[in-house]
Amino acid sequence: VFTIKEIRQVGSNIYDFVMQTDNRFSFRAGQYMEWTLGHAKSDTRGNRRYFTLASSPTEQETILGVRFYDQPSSFKKHLHTLKAGDTIIGGQLAGEFTLPEDPKQKLTFIAGGIGVTPFRSMIKYLSDKNEKRDVVLMYSNRETNEISYAAIFKAAEKVGVRTVYTLTEPDSIPADWSGQRGFIDEAMIKKEVPDYKERKFYISGSHGMVTGSKELLIKLGVPRSQIKTDFFPGLA
């Protein structure tokens, strides 16, 4: 049983649920858990969901990063009404979307929107452990107000993490924007990650974004064995 300690907004319609529990448990950065939230008038999608742990094993609190959409499920509607002191049940810890054992393996993380949460977990872990790795995070959002965890990614520069931001909604890009523009494509990967054939790629986001990115990497000659994927069901 996890008790909500704090709920904080970290982006447009994106919230961190910061929780604590009396039962100690261990996990690897990037793993997920099944969460149960009982509520009246549950819809056909039920009262259970899988959410990645956005927190690092080095942190005291457990953090879920959740994005809320229009016309959400009954689960998401009820989750959005919770406040400090309320509880939620976590179980079934699982997932292989985790850092490779070899610290010398070059990595590229490709994140779309709320798909950044496992990378928040991994990068915070590397930063807290002062574990240096060659990591490029390519982080795509529609608009600047959707960017989350920028301070954590900035702090991780000291351990070798470089973040490339890109915005995909051309009409809302600020005049002083210094990041990339448009969807992550072949040209952007070649420019930002010229040694891409030496890297292991992790992709996390919507199902369509993950599938498209994987196909792009295969077209570029990245072996399937060097690609790991995770996707977020979005409206669930």
Side-chain angles (χ1 to χ4, degrees):
V1 178
F2 290 78
T3 302
I4 296 174
K5 179 180 177 182
E6 178 188 3
I7 301 172
R8 57 191 179 219
Q9 187 168 6
V10 296
S12 177
N13 296 318
I14 303 169
Y15 295 82
D16 272 354
F17 288 75
V18 183
M19 307 175 294
Q20 52 193 21
T21 179
D22 293 334
N23 297 320
R24 294 187 61 84
F25 73 102
S26 59
F27 66 96
R28 289 178 292 161
Q31 289 191 299
Y32 63 86
M33 291 178 69
E34 182 185 61
W35 299 89
T36 302
L37 183 62
H39 57 283
K41 298 181 180 178
S42 172
D43 61 21
T44 56
R45 285 171 281 186
N47 64 358
R48 296 180 181 180
R49 292 292 185 280
Y50 290 100
F51 289 117
T52 295
L53 299 172
S55 47
S56 160
T58 55
E59 295 177 286
Q60 293 296 315
E61 291 90 8
T62 301
I63 302 172
L64 297 185
V66 181
R67 180 166 190 169
F68 292 90
Y69 297 85
D70 294 335
Q71 299 180 328
S73 63
S74 62
F75 183 101
K76 281 279 190 77
K77 283 181 181 177
H78 188 59
L79 183 65
H80 209 4
T81 68
L82 297 185
K83 57 187 182 301
D86 289 337
T87 59
I88 184 171
I89 297 172
Q92 290 193 347
L93 175 70
E96 299 299 323
F97 198 73
T98 55
L99 290 164
E101 295 293 334
D102 183 5
K104 295 181 181 178
Q105 170 66 63
K106 294 180 179 181
L107 304 171
T108 296
F109 298 156
I110 298 179
I114 194 60
V116 78
T117 53
F119 302 134
R120 191 266 186 211
S121 176
M122 295 180 200
I123 290 171
K124 178 65 172 166
Y125 176 82
L126 294 176
S127 188
D128 287 349
K129 288 289 189 180
N130 198 31
E131 184 176 317
K132 291 181 169 57
R133 295 208 188 201
D134 185 338
V135 178
V136 177
L137 168 63
M138 303 186 74
Y139 183 16
S140 174
N141 286 284
R142 294 180 70 254
E143 303 175 352
T144 55
N145 61 11
E146 296 177 347
I147 295 173
S148 307
Y149 313 125
I152 287 173
F153 302 147
K154 177 67 176 177
E157 290 178 0
K158 67 177 193 262
V159 292
V161 177
R162 179 170 66 89
T163 302
V164 177
Y165 296 95
T166 186
L167 299 178
T168 62
E169 187 60 47
D171 293 338
S172 63
I173 297 177
D176 61 349
W177 175 251
S178 60
Q180 288 282 358
R181 298 165 183 254
F183 292 95
I184 297 170
D185 59 11
E186 181 176 335
M188 194 183 299
I189 290 174
K190 286 182 174 180
K191 177 182 178 181
E192 298 291 353
V193 196
D195 57 350
Y196 62 89
K197 289 190 177 179
E198 302 172 20
R199 293 179 173 269
K200 191 163 194 172
F201 283 81
Y202 286 63
I203 314 169
S204 178
S206 68
H207 188 271
M209 174 266 178
V210 169
T211 301
S213 297
K214 183 176 181 179
E215 291 174 353
L216 172 63
L217 292 173
I218 292 171
K219 181 181 176 182
L220 282 168
V222 178
R224 292 177 185 269
S225 61
Q226 289 295 97
I227 304 171
K228 291 177 74 77
T229 61
D230 194 19
F231 76 88
F232 286 66
L235 297 178

